[in-house]
Amino acid sequence: MREGRTVETTAVLDRWQFAVTIVYHFLFVPITIGLAWFVAGMQTAWHRTGKEHYLRMTRFFGKLFLINFALGVVTGIVQEFQFGMNWSVYSRFVGAVFGAPLAIEGLVAFFLESTFIGLWIFGWDRLSPRLHLAMIWLVVAGTTSSAYFILAANSWMQRPVGFAMRDGRAEMTSLGAVLLQPLQITHFLHTIAASLITAGLLVIAASAYRLRRGRREGGDDPDATLFRAAARGALRVTAGASVVVILVGHFQAQILVKDQPMKMAAAEALYETQAPAPLSLLAIGPWEKHPDRTDVDIVLPHGLSVLSTNEWNGEIRGINDIQREYRARYGPGDYTPIIGSVYWSWRVMITIGFLLLLYSVLWLWIIRRRGWRRSRWFALTAYAFLGLPFLANTAGWLLTEMGRQPWIVQGLLRTHDAISPRVGSGQVIATLAGFAAVYGVLAAIMGWLMVRAIRTGPEPAAPGVTREDALPPMLY
């Protein structure tokens, strides 16, 4: 058994490895979830109207969805192995709780999702139009429910409910409590809305590129109707989903103020309990992992009290008071997360959320008033904003996971106590390097396939295609 500094070093390396793999994997997840909804909506529009450009739109963005889904599956498999390899103590501790939701996700959501994707790909000229449409909506149900069950496990780590401690491990006593707790509901809604935003920005950027390319080539662009409709629809979805993200995030923060007060106090760099509590707009403190003060803090009076408690003079507990309480409850130790990372990830996520809402609403207004005459600016802003939802998603995960430290399961199991006792630092470094190399190759493949598909464009128009006459199977 390793002790002391060696254990801490290995725990840090284990955390880095998991962070690298989960952040990389989560680049694909929101696109998969969001594009599934977009493609299903596009095919539904074709089925209801019979307009051929909706069919071509479905098949074009369906290719992007399938490329992303395949790469997402490959990167997601690693997560399952890491629990057993690097986090065996954690796996034993939570296994009796996580078994049910993760089994449902794997056996029901994922396998059914994969089956329906196969039927959708190869069923264009083999299934009736209605049955084929049902396949893509079942894919949507699979991807969405898969996210729900995985998030249920993560929500339990943030707020353990419906369990009892037996023989040093948690055992589930109520599946309903695990699946339906308020934090889980807000996590799920927040993630789905963020996924729609991410996919929406991808649809907007791809449409903008195709529209600009058509204008450069001159003449009547046969794809203009297709991509204008796609971009306009994606802007509407992005605007609506941005509102949902902001509202749900507000209620999510209110839950965390009660259940994870240290996380939210760190997110506001609030060291002392205050009533009323101001909202920090910009704080600068010592360059340390655990500073004990802020040197500069520009605040909005009463702001945090109103947002967190719905009261003008509501009390918000500070880092120092929570630290004293945790020491009395759990024993000696530092229960403060890295303040800087939590504080700035919180602000990056919120800022981007409002920026994307402004962006989508502004361009909907411009298109409504002036049409597509500013397509060059539309394309430039679409490219510039494409990376923002990915940055916001990453910031949200950093806030969620790093803000919980030093706990891997809030109040029950500390992170440095959860690692595999027989896995050394050298082994973790070797696997981390291997994962990074493989993921680099996969990223290059992913980028090449996506760019190639977008540059190639949609399939040629096929005059006379109706809802009863689908094109040949979608192959690429």
Side-chain angles (χ1 to χ4, degrees), residues 190 245-246 267-268 280-282 339-357 385 387-399:
H190 196 83
V245 161
I246 293 169
E268 288 297 322
S280 177
L281 302 177
L282 176 64
I339 303 297
S341 65
V342 178
Y343 181 89
W344 286 109
S345 60
W346 175 243
R347 272 144 191 82
V348 166
M349 181 179 62
I350 293 175
T351 301
I352 292 176
F354 280 99
L355 277 177
L356 294 178
L357 174 60
F385 276 72
L388 292 185
F390 297 96
L391 181 59
N393 294 335
T394 300
W397 271 114
L398 292 177
L399 170 69

Side-chain angles (χ1 to χ4, degrees), residues 188-353:
F188 173 71
L189 294 176
H190 196 83
T191 300
I192 298 302
S195 299
L196 290 172
I197 294 172
T198 306
L201 266 292
L202 178 61
V203 171
I204 292 168
S207 300
Y209 172 81
R210 295 301 310 177
L211 288 171
R212 285 296 297 165
R213 181 167 179 170
R215 287 178 64 88
R216 287 196 301 268
E217 293 174 352
D220 295 330
D221 180 12
D223 298 335
T225 301
L226 185 162
F227 288 109
R228 286 173 182 173
R232 190 182 291 110
L235 284 169
R236 290 170 179 165
V237 171
T238 300
S242 296
V243 173
V244 173
V245 161
I246 293 169
L247 291 177
V248 172
H250 166 66
F251 294 112
Q252 195 171 6
Q254 290 188 329
I255 295 173
L256 293 178
V257 166
K258 298 178 181 179
D259 296 331
Q260 291 183 309
M262 181 64 85
K263 177 186 291 186
M264 296 310 298
E268 288 297 322
L270 185 71
Y271 286 90
E272 301 299 335
T273 299
Q274 297 187 42
L279 179 68
S280 177
L281 302 177
L282 176 64
I284 300 174
W287 190 255
E288 302 172 2
K289 292 177 64 175
H290 305 289
D292 58 0
R293 70 185 191 282
T294 56
D295 297 328
V296 176
D297 196 1
I298 303 173
V299 302
L300 177 66
H302 298 270
L304 187 58
S305 292
V306 173
L307 291 175
S308 300
T309 67
N310 297 324
E311 297 179 5
W312 184 248
N313 295 315
E315 180 180 273
I316 304 298
R317 299 168 64 197
I319 293 172
N320 295 334
D321 284 343
I322 300 171
Q323 171 72 3
R324 285 190 287 269
E325 176 192 327
Y326 283 4
R327 282 178 175 171
R329 183 188 305 178
Y330 303 115
D334 189 347
Y335 298 93
T336 307
I338 300 176
I339 303 297
S341 65
V342 178
Y343 181 89
W344 286 109
S345 60
W346 175 243
R347 272 144 191 82
V348 166
M349 181 179 62
I350 293 175
T351 301
I352 292 176

Side-chain angles (χ1 to χ4, degrees), residues 10-19 82 86-87 419-420 428:
T10 304
V12 169
L13 290 171
D14 284 336
R15 290 177 61 190
W16 268 106
Q17 184 181 96
F18 194 82
Q82 278 196 93
N86 294 359
W87 303 94
I419 64 175
S420 299
V428 180

Side-chain angles (χ1 to χ4, degrees), residues 82-94 418-423:
Q82 278 196 93
F83 290 133
M85 292 189 301
N86 294 359
W87 303 94
S88 61
V89 175
Y90 163 81
S91 298
R92 181 183 181 278
F93 184 86
V94 303
I419 64 175
S420 299
R422 299 185 181 278
V423 177

Side-chain angles (χ1 to χ4, degrees), residues 108-172:
V108 178
F110 178 72
F111 284 113
L112 288 180
E113 172 189 2
S114 302
T115 300
F116 294 135
I117 283 180
L119 291 172
W120 183 72
I121 294 173
F122 299 106
W124 282 95
D125 61 347
R126 296 174 175 85
L127 302 177
S128 68
R130 287 187 178 182
L131 184 58
H132 188 259
L133 177 63
M135 293 301 101
I136 190 61
W137 278 111
L138 288 171
V139 171
V140 171
T143 57
T144 305
S145 61
S146 179
Y148 189 91
F149 293 116
I150 292 174
L151 287 170
N154 184 268
S155 296
W156 187 87
M157 293 166 61
Q158 315 291 332
R159 184 176 181 266
V161 295
F163 76 101
M165 293 297 299
R166 298 189 180 96
D167 299 325
R169 61 199 297 259
E171 295 187 4
M172 182 187 297

